Amino acid sequence: MRVFKFGGASIADAGRMTALLPIVNEEAKPLLLVLSALGKTTNALENIVNLACKGKKEDALAAAKTLEQQHLEFARALLNDSHYPSAEQALNTHFAELNKAVGTVDPGRYDYSYDQIVCMGELLSSHIFSFLLTQNNIPNLWIDIRRVVLTDDTYRDAAVDWNHTKLEAQAIIGRELKRGKVVVTQGFIGSTKAGKSVTLGREGSDYTAAILAAMLGMESVTIWKDVAGLQNADPKLFPNTVKIDAISFNEVIEMAFYGAQIIHPKTIKPLQNANIPLYVKCFFDRSLPGSVIKADVDAANYPPLIVLKDNQVLIQVTTKDFSFITEDNLSRLYSIFHDLKVKINLIQNAAISFVACIDNREDKIAALKKALSKDYKVALNENVQILTVRHFNTASVDELTKNKQILLRQETRKTLQVVMK
């Protein structure tokens, strides 16, 4: 039994969604399909949230109507006269829920209001795909994942109740898979004990696929993307990237920690714990081997793995009385960063100074500088970059840092990090 996750790019238009049919049809059954929202739907839903929270509910409802028409047109482009009416009826249920959520928006509870509206994207796309499968003689069962994934009420970044969700996953989804069925459901969303919709935060659809795979003892998870596989660097930033055939769970977690736009660690952990491999394959050409993330991979086969983070601030903190930065000072400094929820991307301390590189968020920087200035001298280097290279070699680093001013450099056996401008 396998899990296939189809992201927004793979279902961005009717042609792309139709092109997924052979992928599903030729795969051995049973099969669990986890879908994201269509194309730019999440952005459109976020706009609806913002309009409603600003008191512009008529504009929000108008935007919701536009989104409704887009989805109905999408369904109409895919479905024939025999299947479209049933699809329209199913979609209308979600449109009614969306309009109700817009009408009851509470600006004082933005995150809660956000989740009641944004959750609609995955419900709409997965229902359309389910009807498309039926029309093409691929029997399937559509399941609202909110019946399965139970969470706390941390809206926009909900924590999954693992025990309860596992029982529901086995009872609702597992039962159908054992009957040899194709099950279609949604990523990214769940519900609280009170029955309110939630979203699972960044890369929530991948995470849904991973937790269901672990809970149901699946053979593998495949994420279908518009690329041939994982690359050793972002091809938008670096020329001549190299495809990675295989990479370990641990290495992916390391890369994500350093800022790579790669599989999120929360997606990896359930798979790592259950030793379930994760494949990244190209929906444009399913014959390509793609990449696999699994437990054991020979690190000697890795090319240099490169991550570049822009828009960073290097902040230097110096004691006013020239006292040493020892455990007491470090504890106080860490507490300030923690209390202000400022993530440190790189850190180094000397005798009387402490240096940290952080994301350049104006609100966070101002609050942090104010808090630190009470006891320390504070200096900032703005508009800097952090370059991280795993499995580095001298030639690769020299090329990547050419014509750059190096402000800080750290090196271990496997990892080199440079703050540069």
Side-chain angles (χ1 to χ4, degrees), residues 30-333:
L31 185 62
L32 174 58
L33 308 179
V34 175
L35 269 73
S36 297
L38 300 179
K40 303 294 185 181
T41 297
T42 300
N43 291 340
L45 288 164
E46 288 176 342
N47 180 54
I48 292 169
V49 176
N50 293 331
L51 288 170
C53 285
K54 291 175 182 177
K56 300 178 180 179
K57 288 195 176 180
E58 291 303 317
D59 291 341
L61 289 170
K65 187 65 176 178
T66 297
L67 194 68
E68 175 183 334
Q69 292 303 315
Q70 290 170 346
H71 279 79
L72 290 175
E73 289 170 6
F74 192 102
R76 172 54 80 184
L78 288 166
L79 303 174
N80 58 32
D81 291 341
S82 297
H83 292 85
Y84 178 78
S86 297
E88 183 181 23
Q89 184 176 0
L91 295 177
N92 282 337
T93 301
H94 302 311
F95 299 141
E97 184 178 349
L98 172 59
N99 289 328
K100 181 179 178 181
V102 171
T104 57
V105 153
D106 180 355
R109 300 178 66 199
Y110 180 85
D111 289 349
Y112 165 80
S113 299
Y114 179 100
D115 279 2
Q116 308 321 300
I117 291 173
V118 171
C119 71
M120 289 295 108
E122 283 68 19
L123 295 164
L124 293 165
S125 64
S126 61
H127 237 143
I128 293 172
F129 192 53
S130 175
F131 280 101
L132 179 63
L133 293 175
T134 300
Q135 176 176 282
N136 285 272
N137 301 312
I138 303 175
N140 69 94
L141 179 66
W142 181 89
I143 291 176
D144 187 336
I145 199 64
R146 294 177 297 180
R147 295 173 52 203
V148 177
V149 176
L150 184 78
T151 73
D152 66 6
D153 58 359
T154 306
Y155 296 102
R156 297 189 70 187
D157 193 19
V160 173
D161 182 329
W162 191 270
N163 291 331
H164 181 95
T165 299
K166 184 176 182 179
L167 290 174
E168 294 300 315
Q170 292 173 345
I172 297 173
I173 297 176
R175 179 182 60 200
E176 302 301 330
L177 292 174
K178 287 178 181 178
R179 293 173 178 171
K181 292 187 177 180
V182 173
V183 173
V184 179
T185 194
Q186 310 80 40
F188 185 54
I189 66 176
S191 68
T192 68
K193 291 180 180 178
K196 302 299 182 182
S197 297
V198 296
T199 61
L200 304 181
R202 180 185 164 196
E203 305 298 337
S205 291
D206 291 352
Y207 182 46
T208 301
I211 64 172
L212 292 176
M215 291 171 178
L216 296 168
M218 306 296 271
E219 177 185 341
S220 66
V221 175
T222 302
I223 297 175
W224 293 89
K225 301 174 76 70
D226 56 356
V227 294
L230 298 175
Q231 304 291 308
N232 72 316
D234 186 343
K236 296 176 183 176
L237 300 176
F238 299 96
N240 306 316
T241 58
V242 178
K243 188 176 81 70
I244 304 168
D245 295 328
I247 190 169
S248 71
F249 291 125
N250 288 345
E251 194 67 42
V252 169
I253 290 172
E254 289 279 353
M255 295 301 293
F257 174 79
Y258 292 122
Q261 297 301 306
I262 196 168
I263 311 299
H264 196 280
K266 71 179 182 183
T267 297
I268 294 299
K269 289 308 295 179
L271 300 177
Q272 184 178 34
N273 293 342
N275 198 23
I276 298 171
L278 171 64
Y279 294 88
V280 177
K281 296 202 68 175
C282 180
F283 59 78
F284 286 126
D285 185 354
R286 63 186 186 280
S287 68
L288 296 175
S291 303
V292 61
I293 303 168
K294 57 184 182 178
D296 297 314
V297 177
D298 186 355
N301 295 326
Y302 292 143
L305 304 176
I306 304 163
V307 182
L308 182 66
K309 289 194 74 170
D310 286 318
N311 200 25
Q312 299 290 295
V313 172
L314 188 66
I315 183 165
Q316 182 175 33
V317 177
T318 307
T319 54
K320 291 181 177 178
D321 60 359
F322 295 98
S323 59
F324 289 144
I325 299 286
T326 55
E327 288 79 2
D328 288 344
N329 269 315
L330 285 173
S331 177
R332 192 182 316 156
L333 288 165

